[in-house]
Amino acid sequence: MMLIAQNPRIPNNRLHWGRDRTLAVAVVTALAIGPTVACGDSGGEETDTSGESESDSEGEPGVFESIELAYAPSETSVLSGALTVQTDEPTSLVSVVVAPDGDGPAWEVPASGIASAEDGRSHEVMILGLKPARGYSFTVTARHDEGEGQPERSADLPFTTAPLPEVFPPVQFHGSDPARMQPGITFLDSTSREGFTSTGGYLLALDELGEVVWYYTAPTVQQPCDIRRLQNGNLLFLGSEDNGVDTMAVEIDMLGRELGRWTREQTGVIGMHGDLFEMPSGDILTVGVELRQIGGYANDAVYDVAGENIIEFSRDGAITRETKLLDVLDPYRIPSQDFHNGFYNGLFGQMTKDWAHVNAVIYDASDDSYVVSSRHQDMVFKLDRQSGALVWVIGQPHSSSDADDSWPFLEMIGDGTFPNHQHSPQMLPSGNVMIFDNNNKGRRSRAVEYALDLDAMTVEQVWEFTDPDYDPEIFSIFIGDADVQANGNVLVDFGATLLEPATLDTRGSYAHIVEVDRATGDKVFELDIRGEEGDDKQRLVYRADRQPSLYAGAE
């Protein structure tokens, strides 16, 4: 099928769809049309030149004859794609404008979204931020790399995005106050689960009005989660292999093209989970697990005990540093009966004991240390990266251990409470720490900030948030996140909110995500990833993150 459209300013304009209707193409023979501005409006009166002959400027410095545009949607998302720009002479792209049909604002692709070949005749433009089932047009303005020729503007290339997949995370948007929000795009992961069986999974990004503007899913990666932006602008996340047991780190660009994959086979890291953190060197910090058979428990029991290791590995997959927590902490310290749960049975066999269940590790460059969250030890603690020694511990000694009597616990001052079964610590520039406290013991989840006085070895609770609109109080039985934003707000992910906290029934649990003004406690952004009433699937979000833009380096 061929669609013909005559641009009154540029002759020989041809637009058509490819045979599979997934590739939109525009071929333009361009004439010099004078100065152009960002949104494709020349600012002057249009002149019908459709009957003119082609430019007779062949060989003239600074002039080129054609701009050819081709757009291909990403294989992993209908909301992004690659716009290829071909010119017959070396050129630089002055602007690439994306304009939605109707009244929506147009935008210009930033420089970080454009890659040019060495010869200047081919350019790839990342088109990001499209919305489902909507029409758009793409317009390119280019300038010859030599001479003083005027910029040339292509014809508009139309494209209509497809609807979202039929099976997609159910976003329920409740409202926002964009003027008070931290500007940017909210990235999150979403997994659907029935019982303990997870299927598929998505990474997605939403704008300030809760509309989906980007997503990723791929048949070769199950349960993607913990999405991070790397220094090079790409995305890094955790995922599972097809067997649903072995985990890996995956790097993609914003078009969903896989650029790196670090599996158990490649790295030797067993059970990679909890966190991925890019070190200043570019190495990746994560959590692995080992199995030890340990005796000496009550009644002379001998258990197969899973213990986490803090691991750094290089981009070539080599482990460059490893701290084994069974050698740092006390394997006989059992504050919770969750020691007996079956989290690691798939890796190591039935009756494996889940001793620490480390769910987060971050790097603190201020003193070259790790900050670690251990859910089953009910502790957040700092480790010296060089020696592996404990620096401080937020938590309390437990009667099951004599060894922890010598640990550097911080004493609580004031009326605060310690976290319980927590996730996701974040060190703040002030030296304070923000934590998502699941609080399984009290069944009242919260984001909580602590001030640390390391001279006095004290900790003080200085702020907390639990959503006041819930009765009974909101309770995320597992997973969650709390991130302080640049403007002081806090983005909170109650990642597995129970419908009925009193019953501990996880059927129909969902993610409740809010941005909170830390000064007033007001919610300025609020949505749920939640099925309809009667839907028993768990709609889980491990982490949520706010980035300035879909494009790396753009504000």
Side-chain angles (χ1 to χ4, degrees):
M1 176 181 179
M2 181 74 71
L3 300 178
I4 304 297
Q6 291 296 326
N7 186 315
R9 308 198 64 161
I10 303 177
N12 299 331
N13 173 31
R14 296 181 286 116
L15 300 123
H16 69 273
W17 291 93
R19 291 181 181 178
D20 61 359
R21 298 187 61 84
T22 63
L23 181 66
V25 180
V27 180
V28 178
T29 301
L31 297 175
I33 60 175
T36 59
V37 294
C39 291
D41 180 1
S42 67
E45 183 179 352
E46 290 194 4
T47 303
D48 185 348
T49 60
S50 58
E52 294 182 9
S53 61
E54 294 187 10
S55 170
D56 59 1
S57 57
E58 185 175 353
E60 183 180 341
V63 176
F64 60 97
E65 297 293 328
S66 68
I67 308 175
E68 180 178 314
L69 308 183
Y71 179 74
S74 165
E75 294 182 358
T76 61
S77 170
V78 301
L79 304 185
S80 55
L83 179 68
T84 302
V85 182
Q86 299 280 353
T87 57
D88 61 322
E89 295 288 340
T91 57
S92 298
L93 301 192
V94 176
S95 69
V96 179
V97 175
V98 181
D101 295 350
D103 298 330
W107 70 90
E108 189 172 322
V109 176
S112 61
I114 301 173
S116 298
E118 288 186 6
D119 65 4
R121 290 178 168 85
S122 179
H123 313 269
E124 182 186 82
V125 182
M126 283 190 179
I127 302 296
L128 307 175
L130 306 182
K131 296 178 181 179
R134 302 191 191 183
Y136 292 88
S137 63
F138 311 132
T139 309
V140 173
T141 301
R143 184 191 299 273
H144 200 292
D145 281 347
E146 299 176 359
E148 302 296 329
Q150 298 184 67
E152 313 284 0
R153 189 175 66 215
S154 72
D156 295 341
L157 173 60
F159 182 77
T160 299
T161 57
L164 292 173
E166 184 175 348
V167 178
F168 195 80
V171 178
Q172 298 183 12
F173 178 66
H174 301 305
S176 65
D177 185 349
R180 297 175 64 189
M181 290 174 60
Q182 171 65 31
I185 300 294
T186 303
F187 284 83
L188 52 91
D189 54 77
S190 178
T191 298
S192 296
R193 194 165 88 173
E194 294 185 80
F196 290 97
T197 302
S198 300
T199 56
Y202 284 83
L203 305 176
L204 58 155
L206 304 109
D207 66 12
E208 71 279 5
L209 299 179
E211 292 196 76
V212 178
V213 293
W214 179 90
Y215 72 85
Y216 165 89
T217 188
T220 59
V221 182
Q222 303 297 311
Q223 305 172 53
C225 68
D226 193 36
I227 184 171
R228 307 278 180 165
R229 174 153 268 165
L230 297 170
Q231 298 171 48
N232 62 14
N234 294 330
L235 300 179
L236 181 72
F237 61 91
L238 286 164
S240 297
E241 297 194 57
D242 289 340
N243 62 17
V245 175
D246 289 318
T247 52
M248 57 187 169
V250 180
E251 180 181 356
I252 60 172
D253 68 10
M254 289 302 297
L255 297 184
R257 296 176 294 203
E258 189 171 308
L259 304 175
R261 176 179 289 212
W262 295 271
T263 64
R264 172 178 176 173
E265 182 180 0
Q266 291 168 308
T267 64
V269 178
I270 301 172
M272 188 185 305
H273 70 283
D275 233 325
L276 293 172
F277 190 97
E278 185 180 21
M279 299 291 288
S281 65
D283 286 358
I284 304 301
L285 173 65
T286 192
V287 180
V289 65
E290 63 173 322
L291 185 70
R292 295 188 191 180
Q293 191 173 80
I294 301 176
Y297 289 95
N299 302 316
D300 295 324
V302 178
Y303 292 133
D304 290 333
V305 178
E308 276 87 1
N309 302 328
I310 308 304
I311 294 172
E312 296 177 33
F313 65 86
S314 63
R315 296 304 180 94
D316 63 8
I319 293 176
T320 57
R321 189 180 295 269
E322 184 171 19
T323 302
K324 299 186 175 185
L325 293 183
L326 280 168
D327 296 333
V328 175
L329 305 178
D330 179 8
Y332 302 102
R333 187 179 191 272
I334 308 175
S336 167
Q337 287 304 303
D338 285 339
F339 175 78
H340 299 288
N341 80 15
F343 185 80
Y344 287 119
N345 287 354
L347 273 177
F348 300 121
Q350 296 298 311
M351 305 303 293
T352 300
K353 303 306 178 184
D354 187 3
W355 162 67
H357 198 100
V358 169
N359 54 34
V361 59
I362 58 174
Y363 176 65
D364 187 352
S366 70
D367 59 357
D368 193 29
S369 64
Y370 304 129
V371 178
V372 182
S373 169
S374 171
R375 176 175 169 88
H376 289 180
Q377 294 293 314
D378 290 328
M379 299 191 317
V380 172
F381 55 93
K382 175 169 278 196
L383 290 176
D384 182 274
R385 180 168 169 263
Q386 301 300 323
S387 67
L390 286 166
V391 178
W392 51 252
V393 181
I394 297 175
Q396 296 174 288
H398 193 265
S399 59
S400 62
S401 173
D402 293 328
D404 71 0
D405 291 343
S406 63
W407 294 355
F409 286 100
L410 299 175
E411 179 185 356
M412 180 69 72
I413 60 174
D415 297 327
T417 55
F418 287 105
N420 171 260
H421 276 37
Q422 73 292 319
H423 283 76
S424 188
Q426 178 192 18
M427 294 302 301
L428 307 182
S430 63
N432 291 2
V433 59
M434 181 69 72
I435 296 171
F436 182 83
D437 180 14
N438 295 82
N439 190 13
N440 286 46
K441 185 176 182 179
R443 301 185 189 180
R444 173 185 178 270
S445 299
R446 60 181 180 155
V448 58
E449 180 182 357
Y450 297 104
L452 313 184
D453 185 337
L454 300 184
D455 293 325
M457 291 298 288
T458 60
V459 57
E460 180 180 10
Q461 180 180 311
V462 295
W463 182 85
E464 73 167 12
F465 172 82
T466 185
D467 196 315
D469 294 332
Y470 276 71
D471 184 16
E473 292 180 297
I474 190 168
F475 175 39
S476 177
I477 191 170
F478 47 82
I479 66 178
D481 193 14
D483 295 336
V484 178
Q485 305 300 304
N487 67 353
N489 291 350
V490 184
L491 185 65
V492 187
D493 163 34
F494 298 87
T497 301
L498 296 189
L499 294 175
E500 298 290 343
T503 68
L504 299 183
D505 187 348
T506 60
R507 288 178 298 177
S509 55
Y510 63 96
H512 178 62
I513 299 170
V514 295
E515 181 180 348
V516 184
D517 184 320
R518 195 163 34 154
T520 65
D522 295 340
K523 293 184 287 187
V524 298
F525 176 80
E526 182 175 13
L527 63 83
D528 295 338
I529 307 296
R530 181 177 185 175
E532 298 296 330
E533 186 173 354
D535 182 357
D536 285 344
K537 286 185 178 180
Q538 302 169 45
R539 310 288 186 169
L540 309 178
V541 172
Y542 186 66
R543 297 270 171 83
D545 183 42
R546 180 70 50 77
Q547 289 288 330
S549 171
L550 291 172
Y551 292 97
E555 297 296 332

